[in-house]
Amino acid sequence: MASSHSSSPVPQGTSSDVFFKKEVDSTKHIRTVQSLPDVCPKEPTGDASSLCAAPSLVTDQHRWTVYHSKVNLPAALNDPRLAKRESDFFTKTWGLDFVDTEVIPSFYLPQISKEHFTVYQQEIAQREKIHERCKNICPPKETFDRTLLHTHDKSRTDLEQVPKIFMKPDFALDDSLTFNSVLPWSHFNTAGGKGNRDAASSKLLQEKLSHYLDIVEVNIAHQISLRSEAFFHAMTSQHELQDYLKKTSQAVKMLRDKIAQIDKVMCEGSLHILRLALTRNNCVKVYNKLKLMATVHQTQPTVQVLLSTSEFVGALDLIATTQEVLQQELQGIHSFRHLGSQLCELEKLIDKMMIAEFSTYSHSDLNRPLEDDCQILEEERLVSLVFGLLKQRKLNFLEIYAEEMIITAKNIIKQCVINKVSQIEEIDTDVVMKLADQMRMLNFPQWFDLLKDIFSKFIIFLQRVKATLNIIHSVVLSVLDKNQRTRELEAISQQKNAAKDNSLDTEVAYLTHEGMFISDAFTEGELTPIAVDSTSQRNASPNSEPCSSDSVSDPECTTDSSCSKEQTPSVIPGGVQITASDDLKLTDLELGKLAHSPQELLCNASDICHDRAVKFLMSRAKDGFLEKLNSTEFITLSRLMETFILDTEQICGRKSTSLLGALQSQANKFVNRFHEERKTKLSLLLDNERWKQADVPAEFQDLVDCLSDGKIALPEKKSGAPEEKKPAEVLIVEGQQYAVVGTVLLLIRIILEYCQCVDNIPSITTDMLTRLSDLLKYFNSRSCQLVLGAGALQVVGLKTITTKNLALSSRCLQLIVHYIPVIRAHFEARLQPKQYSMLRHFDHITKDYHDHIAEISAKLVAIMDSLFDKLLSKYEVKAPVPSACFRNICKQMAKMHEAIFDLLPEEQTQMLFLRINASYKLHLKKQLAHLNVINDGGPQNGLVTADVAFYTGNLQALKGLKNLDLNMAEIWEQKR
């Protein structure tokens, strides 16, 4: 504004340094300074020299100077070109109501920074350098006058008279040093009658300071006079500025009138509609809030009603929803300040009620009559309890069920024993007080029936436990599946929301005078019908919660999880529809562990039943009852226990080991007793055996016939009248005849008992194999002692061990050897592959038996060998023929043949006589060599040949030895 007018070229420096930039040559022409406009026409203007002259108040008091100007210093200093004006400048015209507000930056204008001027600075930098260089080279303007320079020099000379201390920027009289320098105290000392002198000094100092003040004031007035033209020019510009502001004010007033008309015609109605829409939305919010408060107010009575019907899940969901609504939508409402703490206490009470209810349910389920066909008791009640406990993270409820299982298992046994004892009239319960003692008075059939009843009750008990735990397992799996699907839906929802946010256009929101955004008004108007629709849908839903029907119409509540909780119904194996809510905030790790717990608990139930059964068995075995059982009774007991073990394994999927271990322990005791009884029996039989051929009863022949058919088992007794069969002389085995003693027949039966016991009790196979090997070894060693060792002479009282005894013993051993491979195959089929090494016992036994048989054969040969040595040592080659020696030899050979031919097979008899003949030939050859009888065709040779022919004829005349090759030519020594 004022800057558009030309101004005087008066220097604008603030100090005198402007005049000393360059010395000005006084000879050059200096343009005169123009006078200011006639703002004071009554005052003389004067020329340039008079305006620039220093004022003198003493010499020229009536001459006009700058001090006569009516423009005061504040008016001159009010420079309209300054960037910052006084804060009350506009209030002078527009009134005190005008407020200087901060202008909101425009959305359309970019933010300008220094980087935007970088290109311009680079372009103008070179021009600026050229301008500065030209400015230094060009001489100063000719507006400076010599008079000005002269005045400046004079002013400078006057200012030099003022002490430098007054020119310091830190000049302050409160400083003691500065004060003493300005006012020396030595001039004011009045002592010694020097008062007049001091007064003169003080007056001189005052005049001196006044002179300094005059110099400074004159210089200040001079500086102001140099800028007087600019001051008067500013006053002229002030009038122009006032005219311009008046026009501007009128233009602004016209613009405001037009804007007011536009606002009234175009905007006021629309904004009124928007305000009404906002008011309506606010009223709807208030109405919904009041309805929500009314619903929340009914929470506690509703919870009480739900608890009265054992609806723990619904009560907990209602409490959780109410708490969430209190925290999010009704926070800060004074009337509900205590409701949160009351709901927390109520939730704790529900926890205790659910635990007590689950304990009651467990007791009722496990202790109801076992004859009841229903496996699951109140399935819906169980599902509700499990959901409630999971919702409250009470994951130890299965421990309550486990404790109840232990108590129930004990009660089952106790009740079974009481029922059984009450049926036995022989047991006087008044005399025998303890239940265990009453149970021990039962005989085996009664006790066996009791054990069978206990096992059947345990099976029903486990089936019920399994059914209940399956329901719990299904509930846990449904919750786990719900959590996984919820996470998947949340991930999909987040992706959709991210895509939707990226597609939204960013629009400018305008503020109304009430502080609301227009875009918010439209948004709330659009959300209201959507919220109402969602409200009607939730009210129509049968699974909606009591508090959610009136609280979902709030637009803000449509996205709140507390107002509408999605619930997914699922069906468990029992057919009960369950609902998994979103409030079950259990981790997958917790749910995974809980999902495995029912199976572990079922296995624990099986272990409990087995442990109780073991204690029941041990209490009955205290008096040696189980060890006194015969094989049939023990096998029956063992089969019952194995059946129970298999049934529990089928139910639980895992084999319990406690009862199996007890069975194995009793089986080991049974095996030891079984073996000792058979071994003692065999020992008694052997000690009383006279080693004579025994008749074979028909039952033993039937037994052998069963073995021939490949069936290793004792034959069943035929019903009806038994047929009378005469005993046979020999035992026929696969077409071969075996002459045996009675002990061997019983031994075969004992062996079959071992094999049948293995079939009945597979767990004792290895023990039975070891015991049977020991039994066979004992028979072999004991028979060797009695027959070969002649122990029967002292034990039984036999006079001698005959060849018939030896042959019979050999044949008995051969019968046992015949059946060893069959026994081996029987055990091999029942052993594990890693146990096949135990079959080597049969190989050792077979070798021992063959060695024993060979020793018996050697003994028979040795008997004839000693006979040949005795008879042939007295042989003389002389008449008559045959000689007495050969007659005796043939007689003994006939007796030998008679003794063994009916006992041993023909092949063994021939082999035995070949060995005897070889011994005979050896002794005859030795005797002939002693007698010097050679094969020379002489008389002695003829006599020997006749005796040998007699021997050969008699030997071959024996039964079965006709075709025996005797090769008697070997009796003669070969000619050299």
Side-chain angles (χ1 to χ4, degrees), residues 587-606:
T587 62
D588 289 349
L589 180 61
E590 292 175 337
L591 291 174
K593 291 181 179 179
L594 197 60
H596 293 292
S597 297
Q599 181 62 30
E600 295 178 359
L601 190 59
L602 181 60
C603 295
N604 292 338
S606 176

Side-chain angles (χ1 to χ4, degrees), residues 799-819:
K799 295 180 181 181
T800 183
I801 302 297
T802 63
T803 55
K804 192 170 185 177
N805 298 137
L806 291 172
L808 192 60
S809 175
S810 175
R811 195 57 175 160
C812 291
L813 293 173
Q814 292 174 21
L815 179 61
I816 301 301
V817 170
H818 174 78
Y819 283 115

